[in-house]
Amino acid sequence: MLRYITRRLLILIPTLAAISVVTFIVIQLPPGDYLTTRIAQLSAQGDGSLSAQELERLTQRYGLDQPVYVQYWTWISNILFHGDFGDSFVYGRPVGALLAERLPLTILLSVLTLLFIWAVSFPIGVYSAMRQYSVGDYTFTFFGYLGLAVPNFLIALVLMWVSLQYFGTSVGGLFSPEYRDAPWSMPKFGDLLAHLWIPVVIWGTAGTAANIRVLRANLLDELRKPYVTAARARGMKRGLLTIKYPVRVAMNPFFSTIGWILPGLIAADAITSQVLNLNTTGPLLLDALLAQDMYLAGSVLLISALLVVIGTLISDLALAWLDPRVRLRY
Amino acid sequence: MQHPLTATDERTAEPPAAAAPLLEIDSLHTRFDTADGEVRAVDGVSLTVRAGRTLCVVGESGCGKSIMARSVLQLVEPPGKIVSGSIRWNHGESGPVDTTALEPDGEQIRRIRGNEIGMVFQEPMASLSPMYTIGAQLTEAILLHRDVTPDEARQIGIDLLTQVGIPQPEGRFDAYPFQLSGGMCQRVMIAIALSCDPALLIADEPTTALDVTTQARILDLLKDLQRHNGMAMMFITHDLGVVAEIADDVTVMYLGQAVEHGTVEQIFTTPKHPYTQALLGSLPTLEDTTHRRPLTAIRGMVPHPQNRPTGCPFWTRCDAAIGGVCDVEEPPESPFDNGHRAACHRYSHPDGGGSVPLPAPAVRGHATDRSGRGQAEGAPVLEVRNLTKQYTVSGGMFRRNKGTVHAVSDVSLTIRPGETLGLVGESGCGKTTLGRSIARLVDASSGEVLFRDRDGTQVDLAALRGAALRRYRTRVRVIFQDPFSSLNPRMTVEQIVGEPLRANGMARGSTLTDQVAEMLRKVGIQPEYMSRYPHAFSGGQRQRLNIARALITEPELVIADEPVSALDVSVRAQILNLLSDLQDELGLTYLFISHDLSVVEHVSDRVAVMYMGRIIEEGPADALFGAPQHPYTQALLDAVPIPDPFARPERSSTVPDELPDPMNPPAGCSFHTRCTFADSDHGCSTTLPALTRVDEDHDAACHRSSDLTLQGITRTREIPEAS
């Protein structure tokens, strides 16, 4: 087991190296660089353009005159040897500091979303399979499709409107204005919870709907397996039997989803974050890509890739723990 | 007809009349409400199981046997429902109960399930959850019904595993089902079913998915356990050999109805119902092998319960049907001697004549003399030389190389034109891999597959590539085992059967259609069905399509890989007859792979026996079956259930059913771990025996073949003569 985990962690190294190269190349692909974008911005704003001297100074400072592989090496070696992700051009601050502000919230939201998805989809999925074609099954199916089909930012807008219209509270951001800069306290924590559920519900709807469908389909297959009849034939109670045997097998997809739900929210859905005014890494990445802020963009993508790989490892280990066939067969 | 009645004495005696039957099913109707209408799966079955006796319920698939058995414990899944009838269980602690009246999944029925009535199912692997150890599932059953602590339950569980013959029960207790063989899993299922000492064991085709040797061991085990604890058994099977071996009483079911009841002797010696007679007639029997007679197949197949014929359900397939009677009224039951009953108008109707005319003897006069065919003349069509196929086994979570399996090692054999070479062995012995290597569906690791071309030159198929190989793909064809998964459901019959022609550029357009139509006619499918899709056909018809697809390129060699093992008895007889007719008509050469010795014996001129990747005996069918030279061949023959209740085997020397680990084959003779004759003086456990000539055209790989006299088939079924 330990050997396996070590192996998997070792495989991480070449994987991440390859990903870092690819992200760096992708970032460099659009014509021009940060400075040309910056100049275009300045002239659009009518502030005139930078002097040639200034341009030269900035080019040298950012190392933009060097060949791509040198730029890459400077970036990656600083990360590896000094834990330094470089400076963001746009924000003029270290990337590390920017991420430190945003990453914890993003991860918190991801984990909460995952838990929300599980907590909602598990009972509904089991119910839908056990009472196939019942009114409840159809109702959940209907809402599930609705959740899958409606874009997240639209749900966000609707929820914000409902909340403002009927409850009189603004749900944008994570804190009400009065708590935004206040020190941590119980009321502030309560305020956080009051805001947190909105993004969790919004991000969770699609995942919940998908999970319900998968669990329902899997469980329907499992419920017809001979071992269920065999367990009934030895006198087991139906409810206990269902949880103990078929549901346990049908739960596999729950664990396989860890792999993609964790990193999924880091890069994706910048729009919803923008709408809800959340300080997650999504909008950060979007800005960075638009401005060709290569160190920031590269670092966010790299961390996202790291989370994909780690998330996959976690789901594999969880699957092996859950399912002896994965653990022992062949 | 005099038979030595040794072990059968006690069975034929009627039990005391006073004792009420343990289980009485009275006109049970179980139906399924489907979108296409109501399906009457069980349609008025009445039967009784008496304490301490074994009732076999026999019939083709689709006759409602399993649904009937499940109805007893209310295990029928929706939309199935018991609509009327009663099932009296006369054993309950609280006196007799009608299990159909109990609340489904209620406390009362759950107390009967597993506690008073145990049940064993057809697919042992699938009947155990892969997520829990076998010990966990066994103790669960014990803890449900018995007042013991978990530690005691574990001890009881280990004792039970010992009782059902599982070696190293302590170690196996914590094994998962997928780590055990099918036979072992079935033993576990039996242990679970017996864990609370039930008065009745319902066994639903418990040996159908198992090898013949494993089947023999499981049947012996059940008989032993029954002798030991006196429980009654309801044993559901479609195999009359098994019935003859294990039954005291027999109920024959057809289309959801019981058509005949009797003791096993009555059923086998004086079958009354035409269906019973037809079932018995469609059996290939291990008998005098110099003559091969076509099997008397029952024509057609079991209709779907939705298309139940009016009147007697069997009249559409019955040779003795009386027009205007059988197709109008349902026949009442007629009583015969000693409780023997059958529902047939031939006995109850004034025009019936009181007996069923036996099929014309002309059928058996058809027997072809094949004594001359054994030495088919001409150079061999196929010569396999030192063929080896090995697989590297790796994988699992840790992706380790676990070792190498020699699926086929150093196999040599020859097939002469026009003959049928049977290839037998237990599952996992490498026979399918050998067949596929010859057809180049897998690539052999080493060795030669020499195919003789029409001009007499030999070509090594194992070395061919690309276009040259494709040319031979039309000459060596394969008939696959599973008629359901081997036909593409999205292609029409014309596309399926014509594909080999089109793919090889042999025909196109209307020529192709004509050839497909011609081929379909040959295999007994109406060419009008050409535009249909496979799902419109039954299992037997699909196997005909499979055969048509194999034969349409006019091959010389056909590799038939278990072509009938997925089929019912009566359909199996039709397909076997078809294969042998086509062989005569088209001059085909067959390599016939099967685990069923009675089928192989019926079709083969010569037989090769495989064990652990090697051929351990090869010879003419009659010599090999009559005087086997290898203990393994004898063990296989010994395990075949013979459809004759008077020839019940007393198997004292049955081989253990556990195959050695193929990754660590035993040193010396690979069979010595299971062989009753192995000893160290002959080097059985140290030296690999070579395949050596023991008789004319008869080879065996056994150190002791010269000093052993092994018994072949001595148990034969007497065919009741027309009287």
Side-chain angles (χ1 to χ4, degrees), chain B residues 400-453:
Chain B
R400 282 174 306 204
N401 253 10
K402 284 188 167 173
T404 313
V405 172
H406 282 80
V408 176
S409 44
D410 199 22
V411 164
S412 300
L413 50 82
T414 56
I415 308 178
R416 280 161 262 183
E419 77 170 352
T420 300
L421 176 67
L423 189 58
V424 293
E426 290 163 285
S427 54
C429 74
K431 52 191 194 303
T432 293
T433 309
L434 176 58
R436 293 187 170 198
S437 306
I438 293 172
R440 278 295 300 274
L441 297 176
V442 297
D443 290 337
S445 309
S446 66
E448 295 177 315
V449 179
L450 299 173
F451 180 77
R452 190 171 301 275
D453 223 329

Side-chain angles (χ1 to χ4, degrees), chain B residues 44 67 76 84-85 243 245 294 315 414 444 490 515 545:
Chain B
I67 300 296
V76 184
S84 66
V243 175
E245 191 155 303
W315 76 264
T414 56
R490 289 188 177 77
Q515 284 193 31
L545 295 176

Side-chain angles (χ1 to χ4, degrees), chain A residues 1 4 226-227 230 232-238 244-245 248-249 320 322-330, chain B residues 74-75 77 105 110 113-114 121 126-127 129-132 140-141 144-145 176 178 192 395-398 402:
Chain A
M1 196 66 176
Y4 172 73
Y227 67 79
R232 286 182 70 202
R234 51 180 183 262
M236 275 193 87
K237 280 189 191 163
R238 194 113 202 202
K244 189 170 172 187
Y245 290 97
R248 198 177 144 183
V249 182
L322 181 82
D323 191 337
R325 288 170 300 180
V326 177
R327 192 164 66 232
L328 299 169
R329 208 172 203 177
Y330 308 118
Chain B
Q74 288 214 22
L75 290 175
E77 295 285 342
D105 286 306
R110 279 191 281 114
R113 286 180 190 162
F121 297 88
S127 297
S129 167
M131 307 299 273
Y132 297 89
E140 177 188 84
L144 268 174
H145 300 292
Y176 287 92
F178 52 83
I192 290 176
M397 268 208 77
F398 307 105
K402 284 188 167 173

